[in-house]
mmCIF file of all heavy atoms in Angstrom:
data_model
loop_
_atom_site.group_PDB
_atom_site.id
_atom_site.type_symbol
_atom_site.label_atom_id
_atom_site.label_comp_id
_atom_site.label_asym_id
_atom_site.label_seq_id
_atom_site.Cartn_x
_atom_site.Cartn_y
_atom_site.Cartn_z
ATOM 1 N N THR A 189 -7.960 -12.042 -46.463
ATOM 2 C CA THR A 189 -9.246 -12.212 -47.284
ATOM 3 C C THR A 189 -10.324 -11.709 -46.417
ATOM 4 O O THR A 189 -10.399 -11.808 -45.220
ATOM 5 C CB THR A 189 -9.358 -13.781 -47.556
ATOM 6 O OG1 THR A 189 -9.406 -14.557 -46.383
ATOM 7 C CG2 THR A 189 -8.267 -14.298 -48.503
ATOM 8 N N PRO A 190 -11.453 -11.273 -47.035
ATOM 9 C CA PRO A 190 -12.569 -10.785 -46.310
ATOM 10 C C PRO A 190 -13.186 -11.786 -45.359
ATOM 11 O O PRO A 190 -13.243 -13.034 -45.717
ATOM 12 C CB PRO A 190 -13.549 -10.393 -47.375
ATOM 13 C CG PRO A 190 -12.763 -10.126 -48.589
ATOM 14 C CD PRO A 190 -11.556 -11.112 -48.465
ATOM 15 N N GLY A 191 -13.516 -11.395 -44.144
ATOM 16 C CA GLY A 191 -14.069 -12.226 -43.170
ATOM 17 C C GLY A 191 -13.071 -13.055 -42.215
ATOM 18 O O GLY A 191 -13.529 -13.617 -41.290
ATOM 19 N N ALA A 192 -11.815 -12.920 -42.652
ATOM 20 C CA ALA A 192 -10.729 -13.608 -41.863
ATOM 21 C C ALA A 192 -10.561 -12.814 -40.547
ATOM 22 O O ALA A 192 -10.452 -11.574 -40.576
ATOM 23 C CB ALA A 192 -9.466 -13.755 -42.571
ATOM 24 N N SER A 193 -10.394 -13.494 -39.434
ATOM 25 C CA SER A 193 -10.119 -12.903 -38.134
ATOM 26 C C SER A 193 -9.150 -13.655 -37.502
ATOM 27 O O SER A 193 -9.381 -14.741 -36.905
ATOM 28 C CB SER A 193 -11.410 -12.792 -37.328
ATOM 29 O OG SER A 193 -11.135 -12.226 -36.151
ATOM 30 N N PRO A 194 -7.789 -13.172 -37.399
ATOM 31 C CA PRO A 194 -6.676 -14.084 -36.785
ATOM 32 C C PRO A 194 -6.946 -14.144 -35.340
ATOM 33 O O PRO A 194 -7.428 -13.254 -34.640
ATOM 34 C CB PRO A 194 -5.535 -13.127 -37.015
ATOM 35 C CG PRO A 194 -5.978 -11.825 -37.209
ATOM 36 C CD PRO A 194 -7.325 -11.907 -37.980
ATOM 37 N N ARG A 195 -6.623 -15.327 -34.720
ATOM 38 C CA ARG A 195 -6.793 -15.596 -33.387
ATOM 39 C C ARG A 195 -5.906 -14.700 -32.589
ATOM 40 O O ARG A 195 -6.226 -14.461 -31.365
ATOM 41 C CB ARG A 195 -6.334 -17.057 -33.120
ATOM 42 C CG ARG A 195 -6.559 -17.439 -31.577
ATOM 43 C CD ARG A 195 -6.275 -18.970 -31.480
ATOM 44 N NE ARG A 195 -6.108 -19.332 -30.071
ATOM 45 C CZ ARG A 195 -7.159 -19.430 -29.231
ATOM 46 N NH1 ARG A 195 -8.405 -19.363 -29.654
ATOM 47 N NH2 ARG A 195 -6.952 -19.800 -28.019
ATOM 48 N N GLY A 196 -4.821 -14.183 -33.020
ATOM 49 C CA GLY A 196 -3.812 -13.433 -32.333
ATOM 50 C C GLY A 196 -4.477 -12.157 -31.857
ATOM 51 O O GLY A 196 -4.008 -11.365 -30.904
ATOM 52 N N ASN A 197 -5.695 -11.739 -32.309
ATOM 53 C CA ASN A 197 -6.394 -10.538 -31.906
ATOM 54 C C ASN A 197 -7.208 -10.721 -30.625
ATOM 55 O O ASN A 197 -7.468 -9.751 -29.986
ATOM 56 C CB ASN A 197 -7.393 -10.170 -33.022
ATOM 57 C CG ASN A 197 -7.969 -8.761 -32.840
ATOM 58 O OD1 ASN A 197 -7.207 -7.816 -32.793
ATOM 59 N ND2 ASN A 197 -9.261 -8.634 -32.385
ATOM 60 N N ASP A 198 -7.407 -11.927 -30.251
ATOM 61 C CA ASP A 198 -8.089 -12.234 -29.001
ATOM 62 C C ASP A 198 -7.157 -12.778 -27.881
ATOM 63 O O ASP A 198 -7.662 -12.902 -26.724
ATOM 64 C CB ASP A 198 -9.211 -13.287 -29.257
ATOM 65 C CG ASP A 198 -10.328 -12.716 -30.038
ATOM 66 O OD1 ASP A 198 -10.513 -11.541 -30.070
ATOM 67 O OD2 ASP A 198 -10.946 -13.537 -30.839
ATOM 68 N N GLU A 199 -6.010 -13.026 -28.274
ATOM 69 C CA GLU A 199 -5.094 -13.624 -27.148
ATOM 70 C C GLU A 199 -3.677 -13.362 -27.561
ATOM 71 O O GLU A 199 -3.149 -13.460 -28.659
ATOM 72 C CB GLU A 199 -5.319 -15.120 -27.135
ATOM 73 C CG GLU A 199 -4.424 -15.884 -26.144
ATOM 74 C CD GLU A 199 -4.632 -17.434 -26.219
ATOM 75 O OE1 GLU A 199 -5.778 -17.678 -26.470
ATOM 76 O OE2 GLU A 199 -3.638 -18.089 -25.929
ATOM 77 N N VAL A 200 -2.875 -12.867 -26.519
ATOM 78 C CA VAL A 200 -1.453 -12.603 -26.594
ATOM 79 C C VAL A 200 -0.708 -13.268 -25.381
ATOM 80 O O VAL A 200 -1.402 -13.483 -24.368
ATOM 81 C CB VAL A 200 -1.035 -11.247 -26.778
ATOM 82 C CG1 VAL A 200 -1.585 -10.617 -28.098
ATOM 83 C CG2 VAL A 200 -1.578 -10.429 -25.627
ATOM 84 N N THR A 201 0.535 -13.343 -25.522
ATOM 85 C CA THR A 201 1.380 -13.850 -24.372
ATOM 86 C C THR A 201 2.128 -12.742 -23.798
ATOM 87 O O THR A 201 2.892 -12.078 -24.597
ATOM 88 C CB THR A 201 2.294 -15.002 -24.701
ATOM 89 O OG1 THR A 201 1.518 -16.193 -25.303
ATOM 90 C CG2 THR A 201 3.155 -15.446 -23.522
ATOM 91 N N LEU A 202 2.065 -12.553 -22.473
ATOM 92 C CA LEU A 202 2.858 -11.383 -21.817
ATOM 93 C C LEU A 202 3.548 -12.076 -20.694
ATOM 94 O O LEU A 202 3.083 -12.941 -20.000
ATOM 95 C CB LEU A 202 1.947 -10.270 -21.321
ATOM 96 C CG LEU A 202 1.377 -9.214 -22.328
ATOM 97 C CD1 LEU A 202 0.493 -8.175 -21.533
ATOM 98 C CD2 LEU A 202 2.456 -8.648 -23.118
ATOM 99 N N VAL A 203 4.790 -11.453 -20.398
ATOM 100 C CA VAL A 203 5.544 -11.898 -19.158
ATOM 101 C C VAL A 203 5.181 -10.795 -18.049
ATOM 102 O O VAL A 203 5.135 -9.609 -18.418
ATOM 103 C CB VAL A 203 7.054 -11.941 -19.393
ATOM 104 C CG1 VAL A 203 7.250 -13.157 -20.380
ATOM 105 C CG2 VAL A 203 7.506 -10.737 -19.913
ATOM 106 N N ASP A 204 5.021 -11.307 -16.900
ATOM 107 C CA ASP A 204 4.851 -10.184 -15.832
ATOM 108 C C ASP A 204 6.089 -9.568 -15.322
ATOM 109 O O ASP A 204 7.225 -10.010 -15.627
ATOM 110 C CB ASP A 204 4.115 -10.922 -14.598
ATOM 111 C CG ASP A 204 4.914 -12.098 -14.031
ATOM 112 O OD1 ASP A 204 6.050 -11.760 -13.649
ATOM 113 O OD2 ASP A 204 4.439 -13.107 -13.740
ATOM 114 N N GLU A 205 5.949 -8.623 -14.644
ATOM 115 C CA GLU A 205 7.180 -7.741 -14.176
ATOM 116 C C GLU A 205 7.626 -8.264 -12.826
ATOM 117 O O GLU A 205 8.644 -7.860 -12.238
ATOM 118 C CB GLU A 205 6.817 -6.347 -13.982
ATOM 119 C CG GLU A 205 6.429 -5.636 -15.322
ATOM 120 C CD GLU A 205 6.055 -4.238 -15.144
ATOM 121 O OE1 GLU A 205 5.910 -3.746 -13.969
ATOM 122 O OE2 GLU A 205 5.827 -3.460 -16.238
ATOM 123 N N CYS A 206 6.951 -9.290 -12.265
ATOM 124 C CA CYS A 206 7.317 -9.819 -10.921
ATOM 125 C C CYS A 206 8.440 -10.858 -11.029
ATOM 126 O O CYS A 206 9.652 -10.810 -10.502
ATOM 127 C CB CYS A 206 6.068 -10.432 -10.157
ATOM 128 S SG CYS A 206 4.693 -9.362 -10.181
ATOM 129 N N ARG A 207 8.158 -11.883 -11.700
ATOM 130 C CA ARG A 207 9.001 -13.104 -11.933
ATOM 131 C C ARG A 207 9.350 -13.444 -13.356
ATOM 132 O O ARG A 207 9.956 -14.427 -13.635
ATOM 133 C CB ARG A 207 8.299 -14.380 -11.288
ATOM 134 C CG ARG A 207 8.103 -14.188 -9.757
ATOM 135 C CD ARG A 207 7.266 -15.311 -9.150
ATOM 136 N NE ARG A 207 5.975 -15.377 -9.688
ATOM 137 C CZ ARG A 207 4.923 -14.635 -9.315
ATOM 138 N NH1 ARG A 207 5.070 -13.799 -8.422
ATOM 139 N NH2 ARG A 207 3.675 -14.851 -9.938
ATOM 140 N N ARG A 208 8.961 -12.484 -14.316
ATOM 141 C CA ARG A 208 9.123 -12.852 -15.677
ATOM 142 C C ARG A 208 8.521 -14.075 -16.106
ATOM 143 O O ARG A 208 9.019 -14.757 -16.949
ATOM 144 C CB ARG A 208 10.637 -12.704 -15.953
ATOM 145 C CG ARG A 208 11.317 -11.406 -15.613
ATOM 146 C CD ARG A 208 10.780 -10.200 -16.311
ATOM 147 N NE ARG A 208 11.033 -10.238 -17.731
ATOM 148 C CZ ARG A 208 10.573 -9.273 -18.513
ATOM 149 N NH1 ARG A 208 9.821 -8.312 -18.085
ATOM 150 N NH2 ARG A 208 10.813 -9.451 -19.810
ATOM 151 N N ALA A 209 7.387 -14.396 -15.575
ATOM 152 C CA ALA A 209 6.646 -15.662 -16.000
ATOM 153 C C ALA A 209 5.665 -15.374 -17.101
ATOM 154 O O ALA A 209 5.035 -14.246 -17.040
ATOM 155 C CB ALA A 209 5.912 -16.220 -14.628
ATOM 156 N N PRO A 210 5.514 -16.321 -17.993
ATOM 157 C CA PRO A 210 4.654 -16.076 -19.041
ATOM 158 C C PRO A 210 3.188 -16.198 -18.701
ATOM 159 O O PRO A 210 2.808 -17.202 -17.938
ATOM 160 C CB PRO A 210 4.990 -17.045 -20.089
ATOM 161 C CG PRO A 210 5.607 -18.212 -19.368
ATOM 162 C CD PRO A 210 6.270 -17.512 -18.092
#
Side-chain angles (χ1 to χ4, degrees):
T189 58
S193 179
R195 177 176 170 80
N197 189 66
D198 292 332
E199 175 182 332
V200 295
T201 300
L202 283 185
V203 294
D204 62 51
E205 298 178 354
C206 312
R207 299 172 296 277
R208 304 298 295 175

